[in-house]
């Protein structure tokens, strides 16, 4: 009910289906479900539905808002983009090292290759061409990445690390010919959970505002 105040139901279903079946961002339905559960727990602490029960708001509404936060950028309702939110809250990364341990590929765009090799000449033998994307190279020896310190989880080439590492948990995708940052929905990444939580809070508040502004029958 609440979600319908922000987005048309059919459009939501279409976007959700597309997001879950897309390989971009590698969001498996199981992983998304786990992440949504983690966000739900935190959202319940931030926004009590008791306060809004008289307006007909339910726990199901919270879940629906979280699903919406997974798939739309807040810039569609005049809020910050995924990039702006992530940049403003780098403290949400707990430096757990999972992204440096579990990522299946660390892409390097051809335009960043020179600078990477200038600062890390030893990388020359640690980079290979990406077979699928001709404009990209990728790091060899990942899972875990050999630049991650096994104990501190710090990156040995932090200041010149590839762009994909700087942006994580955002992933750049092509959306109808335009580049768009989506959040990689990882249930064990605190950064990702907090980003979806923050978006959910903003969407929830906006939906409640619209609900309260709605003319009574
Ligand atoms: S981005 Fe996420 S997975 Fe990577 S270190 Fe930070 S909290 Fe961990
Ligand atoms: S280059 Fe650094 S930030 Fe990127 S995966 Fe390796 S250790 Fe992590």
């Amino acid at each position: 009910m609440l979600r319908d105040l922000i987005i048309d139901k059919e459009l939501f279903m279409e976007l959700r289906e597309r997001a879950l079946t897309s390989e971009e961002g590698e969001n498996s339905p199981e992983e998304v479900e786990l992440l949504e559960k983690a966000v739900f727990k935190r959202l319940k602490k931030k926004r009590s539905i008791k306060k809004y029960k008289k307006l007909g708001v339910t726990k199901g509404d919270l879940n629906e808002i979280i699903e919406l936060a997974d798939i739309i950028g807040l810039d569609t309702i005049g809020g910050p983009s995924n990039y702006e939110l992530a940049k403003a809250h780098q403290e949400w990364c707990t430096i757990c090292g999972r992204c440096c341990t579990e990522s299946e590929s660390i892409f390097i765009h051809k335009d960043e290759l020179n600078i990477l090799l200038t600062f890390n000449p030893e990388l020359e033998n640690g980079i290979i061409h990406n077979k699928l994307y001709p404009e990209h190279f990728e790091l060899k020896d990942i899972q875990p990445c050999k630049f991650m310190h096994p104990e501190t989880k710090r990156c040995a080439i932090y200041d010149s690390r590839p762009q994909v590492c700087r942006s994580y948990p955002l992933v750049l995708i092509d959306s109808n010919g335009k580049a768009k940052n989506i959040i990689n929905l990882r249930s064990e990444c605190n950064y990702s959970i907090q980003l979806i939580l923050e978006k959910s809070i903003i969407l929830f508040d906006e939906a409640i505002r619209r609900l309260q502004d709605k003319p009574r029958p």
Side-chain angles (χ1 to χ4, degrees), residues 46 78 94 136:
K46 301 265 179 193
T94 55
H136 287 83

Side-chain angles (χ1 to χ4, degrees), residues 7-108:
I7 189 170
D8 175 78
K9 197 175 265 176
E10 278 181 21
L11 176 60
F12 168 78
M13 299 303 280
E14 191 189 317
L15 291 175
R16 173 84 169 166
E17 177 66 21
R18 209 186 296 164
L20 288 179
T21 52
S22 160
E23 283 179 16
E24 286 158 331
E26 300 163 5
N27 300 323
S28 75
E30 297 77 21
E31 193 60 25
V32 173
E33 197 180 319
L34 286 173
L35 173 120
E36 287 174 350
K37 278 189 185 158
V39 175
F40 183 73
K41 269 191 191 167
R42 296 186 195 187
L43 183 58
K44 264 197 317 182
K45 289 186 188 153
K46 301 265 179 193
R47 290 294 181 266
S48 157
I49 56 159
K50 270 189 200 158
K51 194 173 155 193
Y52 303 106
K53 253 188 176 163
K54 277 190 188 156
L55 292 168
V57 177
T58 65
K59 279 186 185 172
D61 282 319
L62 289 189
N63 273 318
E64 289 189 354
I65 288 290
I66 294 168
E67 287 175 354
L68 182 59
D70 288 353
I71 59 167
I72 68 162
L74 294 178
D75 34 356
T76 54
I77 60 158
S81 64
N82 286 333
Y83 174 78
E84 287 165 335
L85 260 189
K87 197 162 177 241
H89 291 287
Q90 293 176 21
E91 76 280 6
W92 286 338
C93 173
T94 55
I95 318 176
C96 67
R98 281 200 176 84
C99 50
C100 307
T101 310
E102 296 170 4
S103 291
E104 286 171 16
S105 51
I106 311 285
F107 280 20
I108 300 160

